[in-house]
Amino acid sequence: MTDKELFKNFKKYINTEITIEGWIKNHRKQKEFGFISFSDGTFYTPIQVVYDKDANFDEIIKYHVGCAIKVTGIVVESPKPGQEFELRAKKVELLGDCPEDYPIQPKKHTREFLREQAYLRPRTNLFQAVFKIRSKAAFAIHKYFQDREYVYLHAPLITASDAEGAGEMFQVTTLDLDDVPKDNGRVDYSKDFFGRRSSLTVSGQLQAETFALAFRKTYTFGPTFRAEESNTKNHASEFWMVEPEIAFCDLKEDMDIMEDMLKYVVKYVLKNCNEELEFLDKFVEKGLIDKLKHLIKTKAIRITHEQAIKYLLDSGKKFEFTPAYGEDLAREHEKYLTEEKFNAPVFVYDWPKDIKAFYMRLNDDNKTVAAVDLLVPGSGELMGGSQREERLDYLVRRMNELKMNKDELDWYIKLREYGGCVHSGFGMGFERLIMYLTGIENIRDVIPFPRTPGNCDF
């Protein structure tokens, strides 16, 4: 018997003896009886266990918060308003003891403190809500793509290419760092495990393109890594990415898929995480549920980057960072466009080529590329995508302009020679989606064990 099964069918079990196993979340002790707030993690609301002298009272009263227990008792209707049933204990057995100084006591803890107790924080209400939503959202993403016949690609975590061209990659090596082999003063990577310089991936997109040009539709969903010295609430060194790639798909269709997938996942979470969202709406972000419902029913606006800058300049608002043609959008610009100008999700497309990646298709104006960002109210940028450059000569020319090492990406270039075609894709940081779905403002609180500069605990 699980908590969830009992809550969903409690009327069926009234006046029935059951046995459940889980942990003590709170324990109120009195002289003749006591109350245990009990949870096995399967349902958001804890079960109230009531015990008295008819149970093994002298043993139960010694149990502390955090103990693992097995409870055998009778399900009865609760006399307490707002509580439908409770469990009258006949016997409570200790399965795993816990000291009195258990760190997660039944009181309010700061999120900073709970990060230091990351191995225990899943037992708290907040993080049970967050990580259940994370689990459901991950399933919804897979279901969306699997139901539409996308092939799931397990992209390599170790790579010799920098997909983003930013150079912020963690190196992978078996070389003795106290005695690194050198050749003319430079590291001799021929002596390394892979015989060349290798790193942890920042993206599975380039490999996904090879599968899209074989299976037509593919997606990756896995961990990626970025060695960026940033300690902001939006950055982590290890994070998960969702990256679909679709052959014979242009930028317009790419935007259609981005919007459809996002709304599917949000609908799924709204349907399957009612209790968790209600808790977060009450204690984390007021209006969270309304925000998610508004997203579902609102058609995304589509504007070019040039139009976006013009709207910002014509707004009459004084921004901290002045909008400029040819420059990126700041968070305050995204907020204005999504929440004040349109009150809707906004696709911003046709970005200046100089601030976008080498693989994005050059537009006819030779100034912009077929790239797009999806901005959403209450969060800002949530996804980014593009039509990929399928023209061999254009791709090589762009790589030459950026002085990229074409030998490292020889296979990627040849993909354009061997039956290349129009294709597009996008990427979505999974943690960024969870922050949007939960209202949690710090990425460290939506990752089970966050890795950030100076922190690799647990």
Side-chain angles (χ1 to χ4, degrees):
M1 171 71 69
T2 66
D3 286 8
K4 184 170 185 178
E5 183 182 356
L6 181 55
F7 269 98
K8 296 297 185 183
N9 303 286
F10 78 91
K11 291 182 179 179
K12 171 183 173 182
Y13 294 105
I14 292 295
N15 298 322
T16 300
E17 181 177 306
I18 66 165
T19 297
I20 52 178
E21 296 167 323
W23 295 270
I24 298 176
K25 300 193 74 171
N26 196 4
H27 192 175
R28 293 181 289 134
K29 308 169 186 179
Q30 301 188 22
K31 287 185 178 180
E32 303 294 328
F33 54 89
F35 302 91
I36 291 175
S37 181
F38 170 96
S39 174
D40 71 354
T42 61
F43 197 72
Y44 177 70
T45 306
I47 292 173
Q48 176 162 281
V49 176
V50 184
Y51 65 91
D52 56 23
K53 297 292 185 180
D54 291 336
N56 50 322
F57 184 90
D58 292 337
E59 296 176 17
I60 302 171
I61 205 167
K62 298 175 184 177
Y63 301 161
H64 300 127
V65 171
C67 286
I69 58 174
K70 178 165 72 173
V71 182
T72 300
I74 306 295
V75 180
V76 298
E77 292 185 359
S78 175
K80 183 179 178 180
Q83 183 175 292
E84 295 175 310
F85 69 92
E86 59 189 28
L87 188 60
R88 296 291 175 90
K90 296 176 69 175
K91 182 180 180 181
V92 180
E93 180 182 350
L94 182 66
L95 301 180
D97 203 0
C98 187
E100 195 168 1
D101 62 351
Y102 173 63
I104 312 296
Q105 292 295 319
K107 63 179 182 180
K108 187 173 182 179
H109 297 285
T110 66
R111 294 181 201 172
E112 289 77 14
F113 169 78
L114 291 173
R115 283 177 212 142
E116 297 172 359
Q117 312 293 331
Y119 69 111
L120 293 173
R121 69 177 181 172
R123 298 188 191 183
T124 65
N125 290 343
L126 174 64
F127 289 100
Q128 288 208 331
V130 169
F131 292 124
K132 282 184 180 177
I133 288 174
R134 183 180 174 114
S135 174
K136 292 294 185 183
F139 177 81
I141 288 168
H142 281 296
K143 182 170 174 56
Y144 176 86
F145 290 120
Q146 290 294 322
D147 287 352
R148 289 157 181 78
E149 297 299 326
Y150 283 69
V151 171
Y152 178 31
L153 165 65
H154 296 105
L157 298 184
I158 300 175
T159 181
S161 60
D162 182 356
E164 299 298 325
E168 297 166 334
M169 302 179 76
F170 290 100
Q171 286 189 241
V172 175
T173 183
T174 56
L175 295 177
D176 182 353
L177 299 184
D178 293 322
D179 187 21
V180 177
K182 298 287 184 69
D183 182 14
N184 292 324
R186 300 175 67 85
V187 176
D188 184 1
Y189 285 105
S190 68
K191 303 292 195 300
D192 207 351
F193 187 87
F194 293 109
R196 61 190 301 183
R197 180 171 176 160
S198 304
S199 304
L200 295 179
T201 185
V202 297
S203 169
Q205 177 206 309
L206 303 190
Q207 290 85 359
E209 286 187 51
T210 70
F211 268 57
L213 299 190
F215 293 100
R216 183 161 184 152
K217 297 188 292 185
T218 188
Y219 73 104
T220 74
F221 186 6
T224 53
F225 310 85
R226 184 161 295 171
E228 182 178 2
E229 284 287 346
S230 177
N231 257 315
T232 75
K233 64 182 181 180
N234 295 315
H235 291 88
S237 303
E238 178 182 353
F239 52 97
W240 283 59
M241 286 289 291
V242 182
E243 297 177 295
E245 290 290 326
I246 312 99
F248 310 107
C249 172
D250 62 14
L251 186 65
K252 179 181 180 299
E253 187 179 354
D254 198 29
M255 287 188 273
D256 292 340
I257 297 168
M258 292 167 74
E259 183 172 1
D260 189 53
M261 188 212 74
L262 176 61
K263 289 182 175 180
Y264 177 93
V265 174
V266 172
K267 283 180 187 176
Y268 189 91
V269 170
L270 281 168
K271 180 179 178 181
N272 291 278
C273 300
N274 295 333
E275 294 84 3
E276 290 77 18
L277 288 172
E278 287 173 3
F279 171 83
L280 294 167
D281 196 311
K282 184 176 181 181
F283 294 106
V284 176
E285 180 186 334
K286 302 291 185 185
L288 173 65
I289 294 175
D290 287 341
K291 177 189 78 174
L292 298 178
K293 289 181 176 178
H294 177 72
L295 175 85
I296 290 171
K297 68 182 181 182
T298 308
K299 179 69 176 173
I301 304 297
R302 301 186 181 190
I303 58 174
T304 66
H305 180 270
E306 185 176 356
Q307 289 171 324
I309 298 298
K310 187 175 189 309
Y311 283 130
L312 292 165
L313 292 173
D314 292 346
S315 68
K317 289 183 67 70
K318 186 173 182 179
F319 296 104
E320 181 181 356
F321 299 99
T322 303
Y325 294 104
E327 300 294 333
D328 206 349
L329 298 178
R331 175 68 185 88
E332 58 181 332
H333 304 152
E334 297 170 347
K335 184 178 177 65
Y336 170 77
L337 292 171
T338 57
E339 298 177 26
E340 296 185 48
K341 176 65 179 177
F342 296 112
N343 190 30
V346 178
F347 282 110
V348 179
Y349 65 97
D350 286 353
W351 284 71
K353 71 173 184 177
D354 292 335
I355 60 173
K356 288 297 182 180
F358 76 96
Y359 51 74
M360 298 181 178
R361 193 181 199 276
L362 185 66
N363 289 327
D364 292 341
D365 61 10
N366 289 316
K367 297 178 181 179
T368 63
V369 289
V372 63
D373 283 355
L374 175 59
L375 317 177
V376 295
S379 182
E381 182 192 344
L382 193 57
M383 300 184 197
S386 73
Q387 185 171 325
R388 315 313 190 189
E389 183 58 83
E390 85 282 6
R391 299 166 296 184
L392 177 63
D393 53 340
Y394 279 76
L395 179 65
V396 170
R397 186 172 69 195
R398 183 60 177 154
M399 294 177 76
N400 287 334
E401 288 175 1
L402 297 172
K403 296 180 171 56
M404 295 179 64
N405 185 341
K406 295 193 294 297
D407 291 338
E408 287 185 354
L409 289 171
D410 180 61
W411 59 272
Y412 185 73
I413 296 170
K414 285 181 176 176
L415 197 61
R416 275 69 185 162
E417 293 183 38
Y418 304 145
C421 65
V422 169
H423 60 287
S424 301
F426 61 90
M428 177 178 67
F430 185 52
E431 282 76 22
R432 187 168 293 188
L433 172 67
I434 303 306
M435 292 167 71
Y436 179 71
L437 291 171
T438 61
I440 298 291
E441 294 181 341
N442 196 312
I443 194 171
R444 295 166 178 81
D445 297 324
V446 297
I447 300 177
F449 300 100
R451 273 58 176 121
T452 53
N455 173 53
C456 190
D457 296 333
F458 310 104

